[in-house]
Amino acid sequence: MLALFDELAEQSAPLSAEALIGRLGYTRGTGYRYIKKLTDRGFLRRSSAGFSLGPRIAELDFVMRQGDPVLDLCCPVIRQLSLDVDAHALLAQFFDDRIIVIHLEEGSEPIRMSYGRGRRMPLFAGSTSKALLGSLPIARQRRIYRDHGSEAAAAGWGQDWAGFKDILSGFEKARVVSSFGELDRDNVGLSVPARAFDPLQPLAITLVLTDRRFAVADQAEIGRQLRGAAAQISDAMRGAAGLYRENGSGD
């Protein structure tokens, strides 16, 4: 049933029930039963054009913004970083071979940026992906290469596993990873990883500046502030994880 969400999340237009069932390989009985259950509960919306994500998704997003412990810990840090550097600052998280922006603070500089809250970022482009994939355990990196090796090679991230591993090792060792125009022309991205509750779902903090601003900025100071924000978040996550365990709320 959850695969229906994945299929609709990849689309910019509604899909008919027949198209959804066909893409996911369900029997007609199973497919229509899943679609009806999700539509009745507001997770899907039916229109003359087909099915799309429903109003319950918006409700859940609101609930997440109000009570997500990750956002509670991270948002004040991201907000202060954005103010201190006067730049766009975003928080992204890796899970299930996806990189999703979960928070964005905007600086005062007019800037065109394609990836705001809720957007899925490329797996092999941009400083955010470099920071996140470089911070993963090697076993998880190996699985990513197994499943996406051709995409990694096409992006210039190594022609084989050894090359891919070396590139990710370089990202891990860098104090700050950068990208220049990889996601949006004339933009510079600067990223560092940060600890999350689950080491297989790390966080990354990214600052986005125009290339003109970056050229005249105190780059060493920006890097120091970015690393400081990541350390602050990692410490907060570590402390919260310990508190949850003491209270019997963790694994």
Side-chain angles (χ1 to χ4, degrees), residues 32-48:
Y32 277 107
R33 184 170 69 253
Y34 287 169
I35 290 170
K36 183 179 187 305
K37 286 183 177 180
L38 292 173
T39 303
D40 289 346
R41 299 300 297 272
F43 290 105
L44 299 184
R45 183 198 304 276
R46 183 175 186 175
S47 68
S48 58

Side-chain angles (χ1 to χ4, degrees), residues 111-242:
I111 192 170
R112 178 181 178 183
M113 201 168 81
S114 299
Y115 295 91
R117 175 178 164 84
R119 288 296 307 275
R120 180 176 178 176
M121 304 185 81
L123 193 57
F124 301 112
S127 62
T128 305
S129 65
K130 297 173 185 178
L132 287 171
L133 270 61
S135 71
L136 290 170
I138 191 167
R140 188 69 181 87
Q141 294 174 346
R142 186 186 294 274
R143 199 180 103 188
I144 289 173
Y145 185 78
R146 181 197 69 194
D147 295 339
H148 305 280
S150 59
E151 299 170 49
W157 287 39
Q159 297 302 310
D160 54 22
W161 160 243
F164 182 69
K165 181 176 66 172
D166 287 345
I167 287 174
L168 295 192
S169 178
F171 296 154
E172 181 187 20
K173 293 174 182 176
R175 303 186 75 187
V176 176
V177 291
S178 59
S179 64
F180 297 84
E182 292 184 24
L183 301 183
D184 291 293
R185 190 177 65 181
D186 302 328
N187 286 359
V188 176
L190 305 169
S191 300
V192 293
R195 176 190 174 99
F197 293 125
D198 185 342
L200 295 180
Q201 297 185 358
L203 299 163
I205 307 172
T206 298
L207 288 171
V208 183
L209 305 85
T210 62
D211 51 8
R212 290 184 179 182
R213 164 90 187 284
F214 180 73
V216 299
D218 186 340
Q219 297 171 17
E221 175 61 16
I222 290 176
R224 184 193 68 78
Q225 291 177 299
L226 187 54
R227 294 192 302 273
Q232 190 176 346
I233 284 177
S234 295
D235 288 345
M237 287 286 177
R238 190 176 295 109

